[in-house]
Amino acid sequence: MFSFKAPRGTEDILPAKWALWRKLEEVGRQEFELCGFYEIRTPVFEDTRLFIRSLGEATDIVEKEMYTFADSEDSSITLRPESTAPVMRAYLEYELYKTKKFQKFYYIGPQFRKERPQAGRLRQFHQMGLEAVGASDPLLDVETVSVATRIFDRIGLKGYKVKINSIGCEECRPVFRSILKEKLCEQEKGLCELCQSRLNRNVFRILDCKNEKCKTISYHMPSIHDYLCEGCQSHAKAVREALLDIGIPYIADAHLVRGLDYYTKTVYEITHSSLGARDAICAGGRYDNLISDIGGPSIGSVGFAIGMEATILALENVMERNKSVSPEVYGPSPLIYIVSIGEETRKQCFYLLNLLRKANLSADFDYEGRSPKAQMRTANKLGVKYVIVIGPDELACGDVKIKVMETSEEISLKQNEVLRWFLNRELPLKC
RNA sequence: GUGGGCGUAGCUCAGUUGGUUAGAGCAUUAGACUGUGGCUCUAAGGUCGCGGGUUCGAAUCCUGUCGCUCACCCCA
């Protein structure tokens, strides 16, 4: 018999795992809003050309990793492989820059890339990220880093590293690229096979190669820092100083490069060593050309994306080592469980259940018609504070019995007193 | 797209050179306790991923296939 499964590279987040996701999302939202970012939601699919234009035609994402569909005869849509371009598209479409040039956005949502799944890398994955659009201040670059690190701090993720670099702008990068390429070509035979092909496709990636021979060669290569133009140099310096000033430890990594074409000046990556080969939990940087590339005015922006699966994986690894951090897997328990004994009491229980819920007291009930013992077991497992018992005896005299689970104390009350009794000692949930 | 590893109960895993009714722990449900939770004990549950082959006999060996996983290219 055929059985359905979640498609390759997708995963179901079951209730047992939701607590961590929720925590990450809630902390993220709070932190974003604390720093003046506003949530924006864009469609999960866009005109295919948006991504071709923004990411660059020759990138792997565009060449082989996009979920692209014919929408009608002459239009093609693509499930978003990242959210920066869609956010910028919205910023331009509604001409938001006309009301206020500088705007700060954040987003949380699924992204799609058709690649082979691997640890922390899926075909449908989730990012939460921010975009600060319309300013070139290096302090803004640092603000984005600080938002990311505070999110990680506040969810209790220890042991991450901030790596930062400048990759120059359209002025100085091409100069460095050609010099680097020239020097590397001289040593072509010493490079691994892959890097030899990178010479023509993506020279900067060679600096990042894990092959020992390539590492040695790139160690002796000139550094981008020697070729940065004056503007990029002072920008990079200001970023590093501000990071120090506000106490964010970082690693200046001259070999850090970015896959996407649109980055300029500042690029950074936050990694976690517990993750294995793909260790980035956040990546971002400045993109001063993206907006003009997709048809907007020439204004600078900076942003990052946090990989939520990767972050949660890292968080779980940290908790594994430090069991004192309890994950509260199933989230909050109901306050009250109602146990009915005998078929004829169920209507009364159900009435009471709805009364409690209308007063915002969380309560649940057994719909399987099981034995009182089984219902008590469930109540215990749920971790409720109180159990209300109604059986034929109670029904006959219009009472209910309330059991306080912690002390096993039992109290008899008239049915019409129940609600007041709870409201006197428990705060209703806020809506 | 390329390469490695792994598929046995809901979960985590044992399973001897191929040998009778395939095991453990945890979880679930029921019962012991017929109106009361936690502890204890008992019981229930498996087409050994799927197909083919070798064999008197296959969870075990061979082969194909599907799935998962890790790594590579690339990337969050």
Side-chain angles (χ1 to χ4, degrees):
Chain A
M1 171 76 180
F2 177 79
S3 62
F4 289 106
K5 282 182 168 174
R8 185 176 180 76
T10 66
E11 68 180 8
D12 301 301
I13 303 163
L14 301 176
K17 232 186 161 183
W18 250 107
L20 280 176
W21 278 84
R22 211 154 119 173
K23 186 174 173 192
L24 178 59
E25 267 193 49
E26 275 168 12
V27 166
R29 278 209 164 78
Q30 266 176 33
E31 188 57 43
F32 290 138
E33 285 166 15
L34 182 83
C35 301
F37 291 83
Y38 293 93
E39 183 163 14
I40 180 169
R41 284 203 188 185
T42 61
V44 293
F45 58 85
E46 295 274 351
D47 188 319
T48 301
R49 290 168 296 184
L50 174 66
F51 299 115
I52 296 179
R53 188 75 68 77
S54 61
L55 297 172
E57 205 147 353
T59 54
D60 268 41
I61 293 181
V62 169
E63 276 180 356
K64 53 183 196 192
E65 293 176 359
M66 296 203 305
Y67 278 99
T68 296
F69 307 92
D71 184 35
S72 65
E73 273 177 29
D74 51 357
S75 80
S76 165
I77 56 168
T78 292
L79 297 182
R80 63 180 182 209
E82 55 102 49
S83 280
T84 300
V87 171
M88 294 310 120
R89 193 265 309 139
Y91 175 78
L92 294 178
E93 180 172 343
Y94 300 97
E95 301 187 316
L96 299 178
Y97 51 90
K98 285 189 178 165
T99 48
K100 197 163 140 250
K101 186 181 135 206
F102 181 60
Q103 306 216 20
K104 303 205 279 190
F105 305 102
Y106 78 87
Y107 60 87
I108 299 177
Q111 322 286 336
F112 307 85
R113 289 181 203 172
K114 193 172 183 175
E115 26 180 19
R116 198 85 169 249
Q118 196 185 314
R121 185 171 77 175
L122 296 169
R123 291 182 168 187
Q124 173 174 329
F125 60 103
H126 297 79
Q127 289 183 332
M128 55 187 203
L130 56 77
E131 315 289 346
V133 192
S136 302
D137 189 344
L139 291 180
L140 187 59
D141 304 19
V142 176
E143 172 173 282
T144 65
V145 178
S146 77
V147 173
T149 56
R150 268 197 303 275
I151 289 173
F152 294 135
D153 289 342
R154 285 181 47 192
I155 58 170
L157 180 63
K158 295 199 166 43
Y160 61 81
K161 289 191 185 111
V162 179
K163 295 179 186 165
I164 194 156
N165 192 23
S166 173
I167 57 168
C169 60
E170 69 275 26
E171 297 289 318
C172 47
R173 186 152 44 150
V175 179
F176 176 63
R177 192 202 311 257
S178 62
I179 289 171
L180 184 65
K181 190 173 169 182
E182 203 177 298
K183 298 230 175 199
L184 283 170
C185 280
E186 290 168 13
Q187 312 232 22
E188 185 174 350
K189 295 208 177 93
L191 295 170
C192 69
E193 217 170 289
L194 186 60
C195 281
Q196 293 188 18
S197 78
R198 276 169 171 153
L199 274 172
N200 290 317
R201 284 186 303 125
N202 195 345
V203 191
F204 293 124
R205 270 280 158 202
I206 298 176
L207 299 177
D208 213 18
C209 186
K210 284 158 198 137
N211 183 297
E212 282 305 320
K213 280 156 81 183
C214 301
K215 269 187 179 169
T216 316
I217 291 174
S218 58
Y219 182 77
H220 296 291
M221 285 293 129
S223 163
I224 175 86
H225 294 272
D226 304 328
Y227 292 87
L228 290 179
C229 64
E230 213 171 298
C232 287
Q233 229 161 50
S234 66
H235 190 97
K237 185 162 175 262
V239 167
R240 288 198 301 268
E241 284 173 1
L243 281 170
L244 275 181
D245 285 345
I246 61 172
I248 296 177
Y250 66 90
I251 299 164
D253 181 354
H255 289 179
L256 180 67
V257 292
R258 295 275 69 195
L260 309 182
D261 270 2
Y262 53 63
Y263 285 107
T264 52
K265 294 191 176 122
T266 311
V267 294
Y268 58 87
E269 197 167 274
I270 301 178
T271 60
H272 200 270
S273 56
S274 74
L275 287 181
R278 224 203 51 62
D279 60 355
I281 50 177
C282 173
R286 175 162 283 285
Y287 42 96
D288 286 342
N289 302 323
L290 174 60
I291 295 172
S292 56
D293 283 351
I294 59 174
S298 176
I299 46 180
S301 300
V302 55
F304 70 65
I306 289 174
M308 297 178 73
E309 281 81 1
T311 302
I312 281 164
L313 218 59
L315 198 56
E316 284 170 338
N317 291 340
V318 167
M319 289 190 313
E320 196 63 34
R321 276 194 309 250
N322 179 10
K323 290 272 166 81
S324 64
V325 184
S326 88
E328 291 175 40
V329 247
Y330 277 92
S333 305
L335 183 69
I336 302 158
Y337 197 81
I338 303 182
V339 171
S340 76
I341 299 165
E343 186 59 33
E344 63 278 15
T345 63
R346 290 171 60 79
K347 273 168 92 172
Q348 191 57 41
C349 288
F350 191 65
Y351 174 81
L352 189 56
L353 177 71
N354 282 274
L355 198 69
L356 293 166
R357 287 175 172 175
K358 274 183 195 161
N360 284 339
L361 294 163
S362 68
D364 214 342
F365 169 66
D366 171 66
Y367 289 99
E368 295 172 271
R370 298 187 305 163
S371 69
K373 186 212 299 289
Q375 294 183 58
M376 285 303 292
R377 266 204 278 261
T378 300
N380 186 57
K381 249 173 285 170
L382 284 171
V384 299
K385 207 165 162 186
Y386 306 98
V387 167
I388 295 177
V389 182
I390 302 181
D393 298 350
E394 287 78 11
L395 199 62
C397 54
D399 280 357
V400 308
K401 211 179 266 173
I402 295 172
K403 180 164 185 171
V404 183
M405 291 300 270
E406 205 179 331
T407 59
S408 296
E409 173 193 14
E410 290 198 357
I411 300 152
S412 280
L413 287 179
K414 289 287 165 207
Q415 278 189 18
N416 57 12
E417 291 172 338
V418 173
L419 190 57
R420 194 160 3 118
W421 189 86
F422 278 112
L423 290 174
N424 277 340
R425 61 184 63 209
E426 296 293 340
L427 284 175
L429 291 176
K430 280 185 191 142
C431 280

